[in-house]
């Protein structure tokens, strides 16, 4: 019996680009990679900024909020993401604003110590 091709309900399904060098890099563990990918899913394509809540990250990854916080903290220490903690005068804490640093040079470095060197080189390039 011939297999029928499954047709999508929409012409264009949403997607997130995940580069092979990111997946192959040993800088992040499996939890950090998944958290990074989900943050990237929400990111603006031009600015690479996103502000998903911890609750949303937990819901989409299945990782505990505690491990998500640890993952974000480690990625921030490495310089892979920047985190702006936001508050509102009337509502208190708001979701963090994350800026992703997704450069090929970062994922190809051999160790976390080299990330700072690469990040400085990238920031000094003319726009």
């Amino acid at each position: 019996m011939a297999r029928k091709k499954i047709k999508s309900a929409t012409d264009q399904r949403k997607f997130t680009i995940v580069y092979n060098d990111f997946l192959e890099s040993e800088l992040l563990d499996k939890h950090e990679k998944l958290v990074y990918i989900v943050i990237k899913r929400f990111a603006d394509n031009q600015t690479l900024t996103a502000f998903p809540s911890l609750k949303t990250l937990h819901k989409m990854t299945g990782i505990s909020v505690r491990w998500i916080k640890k993952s974000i903290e480690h990625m921030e220490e490495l310089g892979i993401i920047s985190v702006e903690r936001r508050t509102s005068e009337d509502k208190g804490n708001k979701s963090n604003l994350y800026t992703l640093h997704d450069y090929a040079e970062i994922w190809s470095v051999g160790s976390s110590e080299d990330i700072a060197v690469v990040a400085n080189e990238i920031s000094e390039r003319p726009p």
Side-chain angles (χ1 to χ4, degrees):
M1 171 181 264
R3 295 180 65 169
K4 291 184 180 182
K5 186 174 181 181
I6 298 174
K7 200 168 191 177
S8 175
T10 61
D11 290 337
Q12 181 66 38
R13 294 173 27 216
K14 294 183 178 188
F15 60 92
T16 302
I17 295 175
V18 179
Y19 296 103
N20 290 337
D21 54 358
F22 166 80
L23 292 173
E24 294 165 358
S25 171
E26 295 181 7
L27 292 172
L28 304 178
D29 69 20
K30 61 185 176 183
H31 296 107
E32 294 163 345
K33 285 182 181 181
L34 185 55
V35 169
Y36 187 93
I37 290 168
V38 172
I39 292 172
K40 189 171 183 180
R41 180 249 188 255
F42 290 100
D44 175 271
N45 289 333
Q46 301 301 315
T47 63
L48 287 179
T49 58
F51 47 92
S53 68
L54 292 172
K55 182 179 177 181
T56 298
L57 293 173
H58 163 68
K59 186 176 178 181
M60 293 188 74
T61 64
I63 300 170
S64 72
V65 171
R66 180 174 167 227
W67 275 106
I68 290 170
K69 287 179 180 181
K70 281 184 168 191
S71 296
I72 290 169
E73 184 179 306
H74 184 242
M75 289 188 286
E76 187 177 23
E77 287 171 4
L78 291 174
I80 293 170
I81 63 171
S82 299
V83 181
E84 179 185 327
R85 286 149 183 90
R86 306 180 308 156
T87 58
S88 170
E89 288 185 24
D90 57 333
K91 294 184 180 179
N93 290 337
K94 294 172 63 174
S95 61
N96 293 332
L97 178 67
Y98 304 102
T99 303
L100 304 174
H101 306 291
D102 191 7
Y103 304 106
E105 296 91 343
I106 287 176
W107 305 119
S108 63
V109 298
S111 68
S112 58
E113 292 82 26
D114 297 330
I115 293 175
V117 174
V118 170
N120 285 337
E121 289 174 4
I122 293 169
S123 66
E124 292 174 2
R125 291 181 190 163

